[in-house]
Amino acid sequence: MLDHTKETVLEELASVEHERWSHWQRYLHSQCVRNDDGSLTIPPELVRRWEVQMSTPYSELSEQEKESDREQVRRYLPIISNMIEPPAENP
């Protein structure tokens, strides 16, 4: 039973992760310039901004950047909470 539960949770989390990744890719692509050959060019100001964010530890991010990360984690919490404390059954 536990292995089945782990597999279910794994699949649910993987689905959320795919949605998160897809959302990011849509955003990234919308910020880029599409070249004639189909490739994308990221504007230099975004490259600089994202490189700073990538090299900054979470504890040193701005509150707005931290909240963006928290927002993403909140998508995972219901699945994790249900794994730890399954919903009560109706009598």
Side-chain angles (χ1 to χ4, degrees), residues 1-64:
M1 176 67 176
L2 187 55
D3 287 340
H4 176 72
T5 301
K6 285 181 182 179
E7 283 300 315
T8 300
V9 169
L10 175 66
E11 288 303 309
E12 290 177 21
L13 290 171
S15 177
V16 171
E17 174 57 20
H18 179 70
E19 290 172 22
R20 185 210 56 79
W21 175 83
S22 295
H23 179 266
W24 166 249
Q25 289 299 311
R26 283 190 295 276
Y27 173 75
L28 174 62
H29 285 223
S30 76
Q31 300 301 303
C32 293
V33 175
R34 185 164 299 274
N35 301 309
D36 292 338
D37 66 358
S39 64
L40 300 171
T41 301
I42 303 172
E45 63 275 6
L46 289 178
V47 171
R48 283 189 293 276
R49 180 176 134 205
W50 292 337
E51 284 178 343
V52 167
Q53 285 178 318
M54 288 186 297
S55 62
T56 303
Y58 175 80
S59 63
E60 295 175 22
L61 293 174
S62 70
E63 270 308 304
Q64 182 178 359

Side-chain angles (χ1 to χ4, degrees), residues 5 32 43 66 82 85 87:
T5 301
C32 293
K66 286 180 180 180
N82 285 339
E85 298 176 25

